[in-house]
Amino acid sequence: MGREVAESCIDGVIIEMVSAYGRRFYATKPELAAHRIEAIGYQVGHQLIERYTMERPRFNDHLEVIKFICKDFWQELFKKQIDNLKTNHKGTFVLQDNNFRWLTRISIDPSSDNNDGSQGSSSEATNLLLYFPCGIIRGALSNLGIPCAVSADSSNLPFCSFMVRIKA
Amino acid sequence: MQFFSGSSVVDVSLSPTAPPGTATGHAGNNANVLYIFNRNGICLLYREWHRLLRTLDASQDQKLMFGLLFSLRSFTAKMDPVSADKGNLGVPLLPGQGCSFYSFRTNTYKLSFMESPSGIKLILITHPKTGDHRESLKHIYNLYVEYVVKNPLYVTGTPIKSELFTTNLDQYVKTLI
């Protein structure tokens, strides 16, 4: 326990993975690339949640699980907690992160605003990148016995929100 | 020897802590011009804050600058009275070889130069009374690594278009002496 890796290495691996799936393997089929990246995230979340809930007692209800994700899980992964949690008490939760760690360095080219092609591709790349944390959340929740669907919204970088819909 | 595989101009008007400096002199920015070249001679960034005289068009200007530095490095390495290594004249130098030239000064400006081990060359032109800018260039290189290299949307070898980078760069340059 306690071996460490430089954060730049993790950043590099994630960037390259998203770019490899998005531009090389499934360049013509972005939905498949998104699916793959989400599946990778699912596995990662699945395994990580085992580690981080090792010593904890069982959770009583869904809200406690989501609060655990927002506080401890996010703290372990991104060194900060989720800034804002909203719920409609019917199985939908919105997790908002004001400064999502993996988006802090993305910067859209200002002078290509009138060129729809490249603007589209930069937001596409950001969306592909965001499928990975969505998968992580979905994997974590499903290993705790809560099947769900997760989607992300990042209209305002680096502010990012994840919507979790629990399947009844 | 063909070095110029194509250059294009970028005309665009998290950070680590900056070395201390106070803003004096010209209103706002204290540096005049900044160039960033990569190992192949492609100009990744050309940024000017205060340039009165423009003699050549942009791509000629950049080729001239790159050529000058290439030759200057060769020249300083050959004329070095201290180094024992007498390589052949005209062979391109690797980034670490030879003594490292870092600035020259005229009566109207001072040009500071830094080359990273990966071949990224930073050239900063400032007013002639500035001190040594090696630390500042290191800081700018740090900004480059943080905001450009680590940007998932950046393709290496293409001109830099990152807004975050240019904003931070402008802010930092304002604090230079």
Side-chain angles (χ1 to χ4, degrees), chain A residues 101-162:
Chain A
R101 206 175 177 87
W102 293 341
L103 295 181
T104 47
R105 298 206 174 86
I106 293 193
S107 166
I108 312 223
D109 174 15
S111 69
S112 79
D113 271 348
N114 39 353
N115 182 358
D116 280 339
S118 72
Q119 182 73 305
S121 77
S122 73
S123 61
E124 235 181 71
T126 317
N127 286 338
L128 275 182
L129 180 63
L130 283 176
Y131 276 108
F132 188 56
C134 286
I136 292 184
I137 299 178
R138 188 167 75 90
L141 286 175
S142 82
N143 202 7
L144 291 172
I146 304 175
C148 60
V150 185
S151 64
D153 167 45
S154 72
S155 35
N156 200 7
L157 302 171
F159 176 91
C160 172
S161 65
F162 298 95

Side-chain angles (χ1 to χ4, degrees), chain A residues 8 11 15 23 102 104-111 122 125-126 129, chain B residues 12 14 145-147 149-155 161-165:
Chain A
S8 325
D11 282 343
I15 291 173
R23 291 196 210 149
W102 293 341
T104 47
R105 298 206 174 86
I106 293 193
S107 166
I108 312 223
D109 174 15
S111 69
S122 73
T126 317
L129 180 63
Chain B
V12 202
L14 233 118
V145 166
E146 288 291 317
Y147 292 114
V149 174
K150 288 189 182 177
N151 182 359
L153 300 174
Y154 175 68
V155 179
K161 294 187 161 68
S162 156
E163 209 176 326
L164 268 182
F165 176 64

